[in-house]
Amino acid sequence: MSGEKGEIYHHDHPQHHLFRDYNEFYDLASLFSQRPTAGANSFLHDLPSIDASFPTFAEYFNSTSEHDTIYRSVDAPFASNVKKEALHGMDRVTSGVISNNSSVSRADSGTGPTTPNSSMSSSSTEAAAMDDCKIDGMVKQEGDEEVKQEAKTKFEEGDKAKKLNKPRSKGEKRQRQPRFAFMTKSEVDHLEDGYRWRKYGQKAVKNSPYPRSYYRCTTQKCPVKKRVERSYQDPTVVITTYEGKHTHQTPATLRGSTHLLAPAPPPNLPLHVGFHRDLLMSHLVSSSMATAPMDTNPSYGMTMPMSLPLPPPAQRMVSRSDQNQLTDYGLLQDIVPSLINQP
DNA sequence: CGCGTTTGACCGGCGC
DNA sequence: GCGCCGGTCAAACGCG
């Protein structure tokens, strides 16, 4: 992998235990206001340094106001509060690390992918960045040096700079959209998320029998891309990585599929809104799935985000009222139609 | 015919 | 400089 250094996090809980614990860890209440409990059911249970110094999500969000700070927060909570060495040797990814680039300085716009599928588990975001999820079960974080340099530069469309015949100026590194990856226990590789994607590449993954597919949003001028690969360690797990932010509403929404998908928020919603929506999405769906037998839906399973998305500079705590605000935007319906529309 | 997929070639970054 | 590797391009192809 070029230009990307990684922090490696493993977890050797049995898989189902892992997912269940993840859901509990991301209890909706604790998601925004409480510290993750290190109780018997927390997947962080046996991780050291989970104590009062472990920031709440609110603290985590509020701690970021500029690139450098964000960068520090990139390592938090998992990378700084959890002793990394204790995470090595685990054979399953339970926590991602976020990295970010200069995109945090751009004007936020777009909506996160949503799911019209009532039972799918796919969550998404464009708000955070995480680099490669190595197929050998490691989560890699973009190198600090690269990231910091990127943070110093003005946001530009990263891929444009890489265009053929459009070489970047000297010293200019490729800009990356914020990324967010999550793992989904699923039989299908390409999870339906409400957007239309065009596959533009497929590459064999080193040390893995499963290829990695590259998709681009088919909407014109929408820069969002996503990568889909299957974990070779657990072929039932699909690792999906979103990059960028949608500049449009979901086609499903535009088609008026209100029975499946509530109206999507305006595409110019702040980044953190989409972020929370996505995080909620992954959480709520996971929670809902946690209460339902896996085999009730063979295609889609549980989802766990592999990274905590980064808030924008003006990130603030999402309180209950904020959640209501999200609801006002139809976000909750948008992200969890399976919950909203369930009989 | 339009749209999406496949697939080999190519590019650029990085490590040695 | 060279090779490896991730990522992207684009022509060919398939499908409805």
Side-chain angles (χ1 to χ4, degrees):
Chain A
M1 186 163 331
S2 59
E4 295 153 0
K5 297 160 186 162
E7 301 292 348
I8 303 168
Y9 300 102
H10 298 270
H11 198 281
D12 58 358
H13 276 304
Q15 175 183 315
H16 293 288
H17 182 61
L18 180 158
F19 279 99
R20 184 177 64 249
D21 288 347
Y22 186 85
N23 293 331
E24 291 169 2
F25 169 69
Y26 277 97
D27 165 81
L28 190 56
S30 65
L31 182 62
F32 298 108
S33 60
Q34 299 172 3
R35 300 177 196 282
T37 57
N41 289 327
S42 168
F43 82 87
L44 293 170
H45 168 58
D46 53 357
L47 299 180
S49 302
I50 301 298
D51 51 24
S53 65
F54 196 103
T56 65
F57 281 92
E59 291 164 348
Y60 172 65
F61 293 153
N62 287 327
S63 70
T64 61
S65 60
E66 57 186 29
H67 295 150
D68 287 343
T69 304
I70 287 173
Y71 251 119
R72 285 192 290 273
S73 72
V74 158
D75 288 333
F78 295 117
S80 66
N81 293 66
V82 176
K83 291 179 182 174
K84 297 172 185 176
E85 57 267 30
L87 294 166
H88 286 264
M90 301 174 177
D91 63 4
R92 298 206 187 281
V93 176
T94 58
S95 64
V97 283
I98 46 180
S99 61
N100 201 21
N101 52 31
S102 59
S103 62
V104 293
S105 64
R106 71 192 152 115
D108 297 314
S109 65
T111 63
T114 57
T115 169
N117 190 318
S118 63
S119 58
M120 69 174 290
S121 62
S122 169
S123 76
S124 59
T125 187
E126 350 39 294
M130 189 203 80
D131 203 45
D132 243 10
C133 311
K134 258 214 147 180
I135 207 68
D136 58 359
M138 298 186 285
V139 176
K140 303 189 81 176
Q141 177 184 4
E142 284 185 278
D144 283 349
E145 291 178 10
E146 175 182 2
V147 165
K148 284 176 180 175
Q149 176 160 347
E150 288 175 351
K152 291 176 182 175
T153 59
K154 190 170 179 286
F155 171 80
E156 290 178 357
E157 297 262 343
D159 292 320
K160 287 181 181 176
K162 200 188 176 183
K163 288 278 188 196
L164 298 175
N165 305 324
K166 280 191 174 181
R168 290 184 296 278
S169 60
K170 251 186 177 180
E172 179 186 0
K173 289 198 174 184
R174 183 165 67 110
Q175 300 293 314
R176 275 241 172 100
Q177 301 267 354
R179 291 207 239 173
F180 175 66
F182 57 83
M183 300 166 66
T184 301
K185 197 173 178 64
S186 171
E187 292 180 3
V188 296
D189 289 340
H190 193 191
L191 300 170
E192 179 60 47
D193 59 5
Y195 290 93
R196 298 182 64 193
W197 302 92
R198 174 175 299 169
K199 189 174 184 176
Y200 67 89
Q202 176 172 307
K203 290 284 287 186
V205 179
K206 192 182 175 185
N207 298 328
S208 173
Y210 305 103
R212 173 184 298 150
S213 297
Y214 298 89
Y215 296 88
R216 220 192 309 269
C217 183
T218 60
T219 302
Q220 272 194 344
K221 295 182 180 179
C222 181
V224 178
K225 289 174 286 187
K226 76 174 179 180
R227 282 188 320 211
V228 177
E229 62 190 82
R230 190 169 287 276
S231 168
Y232 89 99
Q233 286 199 330
D234 185 351
T236 67
V237 170
V238 174
I239 302 171
T240 305
T241 305
Y242 285 91
E243 178 175 343
K245 294 167 59 63
H246 289 284
T247 57
H248 57 94
Q249 297 184 344
T250 66
T253 298
L254 294 176
R255 284 196 302 266
S257 304
T258 52
H259 63 290
L260 289 175
L261 196 64
N268 60 345
L269 269 181
L271 178 62
H272 67 279
V273 173
F275 149 55
H276 288 306
R277 187 173 62 128
D278 297 326
L279 193 59
L280 280 168
M281 173 66 191
S282 62
H283 165 71
L284 291 176
V285 173
S286 296
S287 298
S288 65
M289 290 304 296
T291 61
M294 285 294 295
D295 53 10
T296 58
N297 185 354
S299 296
Y300 300 105
M302 300 178 182
T303 298
M304 49 186 300
M306 296 179 67
S307 68
L308 287 175
L310 278 177
Q315 181 61 60
R316 59 186 165 84
M317 167 63 180
V318 174
S319 62
R320 289 290 180 186
S321 59
D322 287 321
Q323 295 180 44
N324 292 338
Q325 189 174 354
L326 298 180
T327 306
D328 292 341
Y329 275 112
L331 293 179
L332 285 178
Q333 295 93 324
D334 194 12
I335 58 177
V336 280
S338 62
L339 297 180
I340 302 300
N341 298 320
Q342 271 177 359

